[in-house]
Amino acid sequence: TYNKMWADAQKDLDIQLQRETEMFLQPEKDPVKAFKMLATFYIKYMHIFRNLETAHDQLLHRQKRAAIRQVLDGVIGRILEIKKEMVELENSEFHYIDDILEDLKLLPENTEVPIPRYFIKERLEILQQREKILDQILLDAGLQKQKPVKTMTFEEAIKVIQVAERARQGRFRAAFMKRIYLEDKRARQTKSQVEMGPSPDDAATCIQKVWRGYIQRKKTEKMRDEEMIFLGMSLPPHLEAASILQLRAGQVNVLQGEVRERHEEVSIKDKLRETEGLNIKETLQDQIGQCFIECRHIIGRFPDYPTEEAGGSMAMLSEKTPEQVAAELAAKKEMALQKEARKGKNEKEQKEKMQGKKPQKNGNKEEEKGWKMGPSNFLSIMEEGSSQYKAVWQNRDEGWDFLQDHDPELIKEEKREEVEEEIRVQVDALMQQKLENLKLAVDGETSGKQRKGRKSEKVRTAMMFLVHRTIDSLYRELVEEGLLIKAETVNLSDYVGEYSYLGSTLRQLDIEPMPSLADVRQLIALYGILPLGSQTVHEKAPLVKALLLTGPAGVGKKMLVHALCTETGANLFNLSAFNVTRKYPGKSGLRMAFHMILKVAKQLQPSVVWIGDTEKIFCKAVPKAGETNPKRLAEFLPKFLKALKAQDRVLLVGTSNRPFDANLKPFCKVYQKIILIPRPDYASRFGKYFNQVLWKHIILQNGGVITNLLNISCLAKVSDGFTQGHIVQAVQAVLSELRILQMTRKPLSTDEFLASLATQDPVYKEEEETFK
């Protein structure tokens, strides 16, 4: 069951945490040994990640999913931290750990990064509503045509009805004539023939023929399946994937469970507010009033009521005496006044420290003993989640909970805190007014609202730089201008490609291998999808603001951008040079466009900002000045990235066919991660298993049927040097509507695709070497 899967994942996680504390304490001198250690931890954490994600997706129990979610985010963040250390050790984004997988008796598929399904399922209603709004805006602006509804004239409708009726009458007439024929035949037979029937020998021979043919066909089919499994051309029965209907049924069950829990939470919260709300309100008022009296008695005046940012009544009701509360409030005022005076001193001290540290760095290099793991932001999250599992769920008796959808007592504990917080806000407003009345009546003081006026003036001056418009109006304008586009529905799993099985062997021979398409999938998931999908991971994991996808034309760079948006439900902004041309003219107009994109992207995060042919923005040659000059975007990109903080799930993605045409210094300064996408190798074009064959995947996707006349191995061998785009064009050129209709009587052959492929130019080795 999935409860057992969760328990096993928690045990594995405890083992990993214990090993980390033991193995990462001492620095490691040998970098090869350090990398092997990191790679082993990376694979183990990936296995835990996969089990936790499956359990989180399939369990209906809300509290269990919340507990798993906390640990799941911690494991994802830890994987990203380990990946960062591996990159720093090898100075490469691509790692080849097939020898480690062999030692662990694992397959390369075990290192595939799973995409958490809660990225989409938790925001499904919001995404569907946003998609409807986007479609409506595109239709109103004329940027998208509505699918025409085929209408039929009155004469055509009559003709269709006549054809159907005549066919029905023909079938009825044929059945009637057959029945008459059989009756006549039966009447012509003699009574003796009817009584005796066929001889027993003939009947036995007929039965034997049918039975022996059936048994032999079954044996032949079984032998063929065993041979295909032995040759590696099909999967064993126990590895067959579940049917699509079962998967859909599981998703429906999860969604139904979420709806039930949501209604249960609301009802429990309402009951708590009705039964305990009045007592909570009276208790808070009595406690705050007592604090007013004690402060007035000790310090001779009523205290200042803390603001909402300071915690409100929580700051007054903390476990402190009135003297400590008053002293803290006075200290905060003094610190605010002395803050500006300290700024200059701090800057001078920092400069002096930097000057003093410079000569020490050279000396510390000699003292370094080896590599040591850096501090982690996620170990505490995983340890907290593990301890919560042991305290609450490990030995919990759940025999009474047959439905396994929620625990009312745990919900009450959570909702009681929310009810107290809501009531506290109301009590703060009442007691703040009561405190002002007391000050005015007893001490003759007026409320100090001048400070608020100063703060609002600062806010107003800062807001002068912002556009006073709603997000809806900005969203509509960006869609109408073509800067916010609709992402195509493409999953990362649709980017088909195999692993590189000779990577470590080539590196031992001092040959740097080309990355495989499976490695590209992993990097897209690690640097793009996982941080964009989880707020906790994005805030605490190593921050990646910009990503560059580079490679020859047709390798799937644009497809990966759309897959990023599909897997995370992100908005897609198109800032390509050709798309910005003649839009928002002038420097101020372009600044306004960047500001609108930044504002909408932050408000409706996650968001992806895509720049196609990004090398044109940083090109070495100086183009003509004007609104068509793509270099006018280069000035705003560093400012755009600087405005992005850790809490903003916004990713800048650039794609380039010719990165070597750009000025490398500013180019690499903007894009901190560069992913090289190669053309597919033979393993990716053919593959060991059928589900990894690029040719078969594209042919089936375009409506083709694979038969014995189609030699996939020959196509994979001949298409060496061609990209996925070339293969797609060749397949689409062959599989026209007419050819698909002819497929039943004329199956596809290898020659048809070869003729179409020969008309295209491949990617030569010289061009591929320039990307290295």
Side-chain angles (χ1 to χ4, degrees):
T1 62
Y2 295 106
N3 285 316
K4 187 176 184 302
M5 183 183 289
W6 179 25
D8 294 340
Q10 287 290 155
K11 289 179 183 177
D12 295 339
L13 181 61
D14 292 337
I15 294 172
Q16 288 299 110
L17 292 175
Q18 186 177 359
R19 286 181 180 175
E20 277 208 44
T21 54
E22 295 173 357
M23 300 180 71
F24 288 157
L25 285 176
Q26 300 297 329
E28 181 60 49
K29 296 180 181 179
D30 187 3
V32 177
K33 190 175 180 182
F35 178 80
K36 188 173 182 180
M37 188 192 311
L38 283 172
T40 305
F41 275 99
Y42 177 84
I43 296 170
K44 294 287 187 182
Y45 273 120
M46 197 65 71
H47 176 68
I48 297 170
F49 173 27
R50 187 174 291 104
N51 289 340
L52 286 175
E53 196 278 327
T54 305
H56 178 270
D57 181 68
Q58 296 298 324
L59 287 174
L60 295 179
H61 205 292
R62 178 197 174 278
Q63 288 85 9
K64 288 182 180 179
R65 291 211 313 274
I68 296 173
R69 172 72 180 274
Q70 180 185 0
V71 182
L72 185 60
D73 288 341
V75 172
I76 294 173
R78 190 57 180 157
I79 289 173
L80 296 178
E81 288 177 344
I82 292 175
K83 175 67 177 178
K84 181 187 176 184
E85 295 290 337
M86 293 167 67
V87 171
E88 291 178 353
L89 270 176
E90 283 202 330
N91 293 323
S92 174
E93 297 290 347
F94 302 98
H95 312 296
Y96 304 98
I97 53 177
D98 44 317
D99 53 344
I100 302 175
L101 288 172
E102 187 178 353
D103 294 340
L104 295 174
K105 302 291 189 293
L106 295 174
L107 296 173
E109 286 78 9
N110 295 112
T111 61
E112 189 76 30
V113 181
I115 308 299
R117 281 160 279 193
Y118 73 85
F119 288 172
I120 297 296
K121 293 173 74 172
E122 289 186 355
R123 302 172 56 243
L124 188 60
E125 295 180 3
I126 298 173
L127 294 177
Q128 290 175 348
Q129 185 179 4
R130 190 181 298 170
E131 187 177 0
K132 290 180 182 177
I133 295 171
L134 181 59
D135 290 336
Q136 189 61 42
I137 295 173
L138 291 172
L139 286 174
D140 296 341
L143 298 174
Q144 179 178 324
K145 293 182 179 180
Q146 194 170 9
K147 292 182 179 179
V149 180
K150 291 183 179 181
T151 58
M152 189 180 295
T153 62
F154 187 71
E155 290 78 9
E156 290 175 346
I158 291 176
K159 190 176 180 180
V160 170
I161 294 173
Q162 287 176 344
V163 170
E165 178 61 22
R166 286 168 182 167
R168 187 192 67 81
Q169 291 179 4
R171 289 191 297 270
F172 178 78
R173 220 177 272 116
F176 179 71
M177 296 302 295
K178 183 179 179 181
R179 188 165 62 251
I180 292 175
Y181 170 76
L182 292 175
E183 289 177 357
D184 293 342
K185 185 179 179 181
R186 201 176 297 113
R188 285 193 299 266
Q189 292 178 348
T190 62
K191 291 183 178 181
S192 60
Q193 289 176 340
V194 172
E195 292 175 357
M196 293 179 61
S199 65
D201 294 338
D202 295 339
T205 303
C206 182
I207 294 172
Q208 286 175 354
K209 284 181 180 179
V210 174
W211 176 250
R212 288 173 180 174
Y214 173 77
I215 290 296
Q216 188 60 41
R217 285 192 297 273
K218 284 290 183 182
K219 288 181 179 179
T220 305
E221 185 179 354
K222 185 178 179 182
M223 290 173 60
R224 187 183 294 111
D225 292 341
E226 291 176 353
E227 183 182 6
M228 297 294 282
I229 293 171
F230 175 74
L231 296 175
M233 300 181 71
S234 64
L235 292 175
H238 66 278
L239 294 180
E240 288 292 336
S243 64
I244 298 174
L245 292 176
Q246 290 176 346
L247 292 175
R248 288 182 179 175
Q251 293 176 358
V252 170
N253 289 336
V254 173
L255 292 175
Q256 290 175 351
E258 291 177 353
V259 172
R260 287 199 305 270
E261 292 160 10
R262 199 176 297 120
H263 289 299
E264 186 71 22
E265 287 179 13
V266 172
S267 61
I268 290 176
K269 191 173 181 180
D270 292 338
K271 289 179 182 177
L272 282 174
R273 193 182 288 109
E274 291 175 2
T275 55
E276 302 181 12
L278 186 60
N279 294 333
I280 294 172
K281 188 174 183 179
E282 291 177 355
T283 304
L284 286 174
Q285 287 179 347
D286 293 341
Q287 291 176 351
I288 296 171
Q290 185 66 25
C291 187
F292 290 164
I293 296 171
E294 290 179 1
C295 286
R296 178 74 170 77
H297 179 69
I298 294 172
I299 63 178
R301 64 180 182 83
F302 289 107
D304 294 331
Y305 207 91
T307 61
E308 292 183 8
E309 292 80 5
S313 57
M314 286 290 291
M316 300 179 66
L317 298 178
S318 58
E319 298 178 358
K320 296 174 184 176
T321 61
E323 296 90 340
Q324 291 175 336
V325 174
E328 282 187 2
L329 293 174
K332 287 180 181 178
K333 293 179 184 178
E334 293 179 3
M335 287 177 66
L337 295 173
Q338 296 176 1
K339 192 174 182 181
E340 295 181 359
R342 291 180 180 176
K343 280 184 180 178
K345 293 182 181 179
N346 291 336
E347 291 177 359
K348 290 181 181 179
E349 290 177 359
Q350 288 177 0
K351 289 180 181 179
E352 291 175 359
K353 287 180 180 178
M354 292 297 293
Q355 291 175 359
K357 281 182 180 179
K358 284 180 182 178
Q360 293 176 1
K361 283 184 181 177
N362 297 329
N364 287 337
K365 285 182 181 178
E366 298 176 358
E367 296 176 1
E368 290 179 357
K369 296 181 180 179
W371 172 86
K372 191 174 182 180
M373 188 70 179
S376 173
N377 295 327
F378 294 94
L379 283 178
S380 58
I381 296 176
M382 291 189 291
E383 290 171 354
E384 182 182 351
S386 183
S387 60
Q388 181 184 0
Y389 169 77
K390 292 176 182 176
V392 179
W393 300 107
Q394 189 172 16
N395 300 318
R396 191 178 184 85
D397 182 17
E398 295 181 324
W400 59 271
D401 192 1
F402 178 74
L403 294 176
Q404 284 288 310
D405 54 358
H406 67 279
D407 192 332
E409 294 302 323
L410 292 175
I411 293 179
K412 282 183 181 180
E413 293 177 5
E414 296 176 3
K415 296 303 170 186
R416 186 175 285 109
E417 296 178 359
E418 295 182 10
V419 171
E420 288 180 0
E421 188 63 31
E422 292 175 2
I423 295 175
R424 186 183 298 281
V425 174
Q426 301 173 5
V427 171
D428 282 349
L430 293 174
M431 298 305 292
Q432 191 170 3
Q433 186 64 36
K434 184 177 180 181
L435 179 61
E436 291 176 2
N437 296 336
L438 285 173
K439 285 184 178 181
L440 184 61
V442 179
D443 298 334
E445 295 181 5
T446 57
S447 59
K449 293 184 179 179
Q450 295 180 355
R451 284 191 222 102
K452 292 184 180 179
R454 291 175 190 168
K455 185 175 181 180
S456 63
E457 287 176 3
K458 290 183 179 180
V459 173
R460 284 176 191 147
T461 54
M463 290 294 291
M464 288 298 293
F465 298 98
L466 303 177
V467 182
H468 298 281
R469 291 176 59 184
T470 61
I471 294 296
D472 294 338
S473 64
L474 294 176
Y475 186 88
R476 176 175 287 275
E477 181 178 343
L478 289 173
V479 173
E480 291 174 350
E481 292 292 337
L483 297 182
L484 198 157
I485 62 176
K486 186 177 180 179
E488 299 175 6
T489 305
V490 180
N491 294 319
L492 189 64
S493 57
D494 295 333
Y495 192 75
V496 178
E498 265 287 354
Y499 295 85
S500 177
Y501 295 97
L502 297 175
S504 58
T505 306
L506 292 174
R507 277 196 172 176
Q508 291 174 2
L509 300 174
D510 294 332
I511 300 174
E512 184 62 26
M514 287 296 291
S516 65
L517 300 185
D519 297 327
V520 173
R521 276 202 312 269
Q522 286 189 13
L523 292 182
I524 294 297
L526 291 173
Y527 292 148
I529 295 175
L530 296 183
L532 284 178
S534 173
Q535 185 69 33
T536 304
V537 174
H538 195 277
E539 288 180 0
K540 298 184 178 182
L543 186 60
V544 176
K545 295 183 180 181
L547 199 63
L548 176 66
L549 307 180
T550 180
V555 293
K557 299 182 289 295
K558 186 178 177 182
M559 177 184 176
L560 290 172
V561 174
H562 288 280
L564 262 173
C565 300
T566 302
E567 298 288 2
T568 58
N571 301 294
L572 181 58
F573 298 89
N574 187 358
L575 271 181
S576 304
F578 66 88
N579 193 41
V580 185
T581 303
R582 305 187 189 282
K583 297 176 184 177
Y584 298 98
K587 198 172 183 179
S588 59
L590 196 59
R591 184 184 293 109
M592 182 61 65
F594 268 94
H595 166 70
M596 286 195 298
I597 290 173
L598 185 64
K599 189 173 181 180
V600 175
K602 285 184 175 182
Q603 188 70 24
L604 303 178
Q605 55 184 301
S607 299
V608 173
V609 181
W610 170 47
I611 302 179
D613 296 330
T614 186
E615 77 278 356
K616 295 180 180 179
I617 300 175
F618 304 93
C619 59
K620 300 173 184 177
V622 181
K624 295 180 181 179
E627 301 303 330
T628 59
N629 183 8
K631 294 190 71 174
R632 67 192 190 117
L633 297 172
E635 180 183 350
F636 295 96
L637 286 181
K639 297 177 183 177
F640 180 83
L641 293 175
K642 190 176 181 181
L644 297 178
K645 307 300 180 186
Q647 62 269 20
D648 301 325
R649 288 184 291 160
V650 181
L651 181 65
L652 177 67
V653 181
T655 57
S656 174
N657 298 336
R658 301 181 59 84
F660 33 80
D661 290 345
N663 193 357
L664 292 182
K665 188 175 180 181
F667 191 62
C668 296
K669 190 176 180 181
V670 169
Y671 296 106
Q672 59 186 117
K673 294 291 182 182
I674 300 176
I675 300 176
L676 172 62
I677 305 176
R679 54 184 175 82
D681 54 3
Y682 179 79
S684 297
R685 297 191 303 274
F686 178 68
K688 184 177 180 181
Y689 298 109
F690 277 125
N691 59 348
Q692 293 292 336
V693 179
L694 186 62
W695 270 101
K696 181 184 177 183
H697 177 79
I698 296 174
I699 290 173
L700 294 177
Q701 202 174 37
N702 286 274
V705 177
I706 307 295
T707 61
N708 294 330
L709 296 176
L710 191 60
N711 193 338
I712 300 293
S713 177
C714 177
L715 288 175
K717 190 68 178 175
V718 172
S719 59
D720 186 18
F722 291 91
T723 63
Q724 298 96 313
H726 294 140
I727 297 175
V728 169
Q729 290 179 13
V731 171
Q732 289 178 350
V734 172
L735 292 176
S736 60
E737 293 183 7
L738 180 61
R739 186 66 185 86
I740 292 175
L741 293 174
Q742 297 173 347
M743 208 175 303
T744 53
R745 54 187 178 82
K746 184 183 176 182
L748 293 173
S749 63
T750 311
D751 299 339
E752 297 179 73
F753 296 101
L754 294 180
S756 178
L757 196 66
T759 60
Q760 304 180 51
D761 295 328
V763 177
Y764 296 100
K765 272 194 173 181
E766 293 78 11
E767 182 181 353
E768 192 175 25
E769 290 296 326
T770 55
F771 285 94
K772 290 187 178 181

